[in-house]
Amino acid sequence: MGVRALWRSVREPRTLKSIYGAIYSVVLLGGIGTLLSPPQSIAGELGPVLTVIWSVAFIMGATGGMLSVMPGWWWAERLSIYFIWTGFGIYLFVVINLHFTANGSRITQIATIVIAVALFLIRRVQIHGYSFEPRR
C-alpha cells in the first residue's frame, strides 16, 4: 500500500487526526524521556514511585491515543486522554507546589501545562458521544 493509499484510507478530517497523532507522539516521547531521565526538581518532590506513575501515565495515554486516533476508536482515545490528564495533573500539582515553596516563578510552566490539558479537553469534546467514529 502506497503512502497516498494509506493517506486516503484515513477518514476525514485527515489533517486533524494527523495533528493529534503527532501530538500523541510528542507526549509519548515526553513520557519516555521522563521515565529515563526525570527532571530532578519534579522527581525530588514526587519520589521515585510517583515519578514512574507520572511518566507511565503519559506513555500509556500517548500510545493508546496514537493507536486509536486514526481508526476512530473514540472509547479508547477517551481513555487515553484520561491517562494523559492524570500525567499532567500530577505534573501541575508539583509545579504549583514548587511555585509556592521553592525559589523562582513557575508561572510559565503552569500556563503551558494548562494549555496542554486544554488541547486534550478540545479533543475530548470533539469525540464525545460515541464509542466509535460514526461512519458517513
Side-chain angles (χ1 to χ4, degrees):
M1 179 180 275
V3 174
R4 282 189 191 172
L6 184 62
W7 178 250
R8 285 193 301 267
S9 73
V10 177
R11 296 188 61 77
E12 291 289 352
R14 290 181 192 105
T15 304
L16 185 61
K17 288 180 178 185
S18 297
I19 291 168
Y20 271 100
I23 291 167
Y24 287 126
S25 299
V26 170
V27 174
L28 177 62
L29 292 174
I32 292 169
T34 299
L35 184 62
L36 297 177
S37 180
Q40 292 307 302
S41 63
I42 305 296
E45 291 291 314
L46 288 177
V49 173
L50 206 50
T51 300
V52 170
I53 292 170
W54 172 46
S55 58
V56 168
F58 282 137
I59 292 167
M60 289 176 57
T63 301
M66 288 170 57
L67 294 173
S68 61
V69 69
M70 294 300 180
W73 300 334
W74 287 352
W75 66 271
E77 192 174 357
R78 283 193 296 268
L79 181 61
S80 299
I81 289 169
Y82 298 141
F83 274 108
I84 290 170
W85 279 343
T86 299
F88 278 123
I90 293 168
Y91 185 31
L92 181 61
F93 177 79
V94 174
V95 171
I96 289 172
N97 184 47
L98 287 172
H99 178 74
F100 291 108
T101 61
N103 289 335
S105 173
R106 303 278 197 265
I107 292 174
T108 304
Q109 282 178 283
I110 293 168
T112 303
I113 296 166
V114 170
I115 290 167
V117 168
L119 175 69
F120 289 102
L121 176 61
I122 291 167
R123 182 62 182 164
R124 175 63 182 85
V125 169
Q126 288 174 328
I127 63 175
H128 174 75
Y130 296 98
S131 293
F132 299 95
E133 179 180 9
R135 303 297 177 211
R136 295 179 187 132

